[in-house]
Amino acid sequence: MKKKVMALILTVALAVSVMSVFTVQAAGLTVEVKDGGHITVKVDGETSANDWVGIYKEGEQYGEGEGTVTSLVWWYIDDTTKTVNWPEDRAAANTAAGKNIEAAGNRPTELNEDLSLAPGKYYAVVLGGEDAYTPVSGFDVAEFEIKAPGEDNPDSGNTGDTGNTGSTGNTGNTGNTGDTGNTGNTGSTGNQGGNANTADTASVIFMIAAAAMIVTVALRKKAY
């Protein structure tokens, strides 16, 4: 049983060590980067109905006009999209983006087949305002990187080796057997019945003999 438990613990430890997750925090905006180009974007701050999150590649300029590009992924911020796991929450992002609008519809060929982010450097930004491209006050840009499979993400330390299982403690000594109780004293032997008083018997015999002699003497005197 102990061996099975230890094997399960080691399996879980190895699985955790393989997983690679790191977090980038900016004012009002957090991005968690996971394996396979999956990310979680969390918005923490006051926003309006026209504010939205945009994901761009490093070096790209958001906005309209010459030198700008459309976002790779985007969605409006509401109660259902304060936290978005991309691409798992794609449906919620699409709904927030608007009817018949794909949150990843601008440049889908630059994403992985499942619409997750391909290896590369990116940034997330909260935009809004009248022109829809003004950075929202209280939010900073969150820069992050998607590593190719097998590469370590920055700021993610390697998992240390699993420590050895401690030795089982020694079994305690068996307690001493209690001392045997003392054997009870043997009862006293009853007194032997008393012997007849020999002296008293002799006296009786002597008196009888004396009486007989007296009688004999008396009879003799009478006969003379």
Side-chain angles (χ1 to χ4, degrees), residues 87-174:
E88 291 87 345
D89 295 339
R90 176 187 173 193
N94 289 345
T95 300
K99 186 177 180 179
N100 299 324
I101 297 178
E102 287 283 340
N106 291 332
R107 299 151 58 186
T109 59
E110 298 178 46
L111 301 172
N112 293 327
E113 186 176 355
D114 65 350
L115 300 182
S116 60
L117 301 181
K121 294 184 178 181
Y122 300 86
Y123 68 91
V125 61
V126 177
L127 303 173
E130 293 183 1
D131 64 356
Y133 288 101
T134 300
V136 177
S137 177
F139 295 91
D140 287 342
V141 172
E143 299 177 344
F144 60 95
E145 183 177 3
I146 303 296
K147 289 288 190 177
E151 294 182 349
D152 292 331
N153 280 311
D155 303 327
S156 296
N158 295 326
T159 303
D161 296 332
T162 303
N164 296 325
T165 304
S167 302
T168 303
N170 296 327
T171 304
N173 297 327
T174 303

Side-chain angles (χ1 to χ4, degrees), residues 38-83:
H38 291 229
I39 62 172
T40 297
V41 180
K42 299 179 181 180
V43 176
D44 183 17
E46 294 295 328
T47 58
S48 66
N50 294 325
D51 295 341
W52 56 283
V53 172
I55 307 296
Y56 292 86
K57 290 183 178 180
E58 182 184 50
E60 292 181 341
Q61 178 60 49
Y62 53 81
E64 293 180 317
E66 186 177 355
T68 64
V69 296
T70 56
S71 58
L72 282 167
V73 180
W74 73 281
W75 59 83
Y76 282 115
I77 302 169
D78 59 24
D79 291 338
T80 65
T81 57
K82 284 280 189 177
T83 297

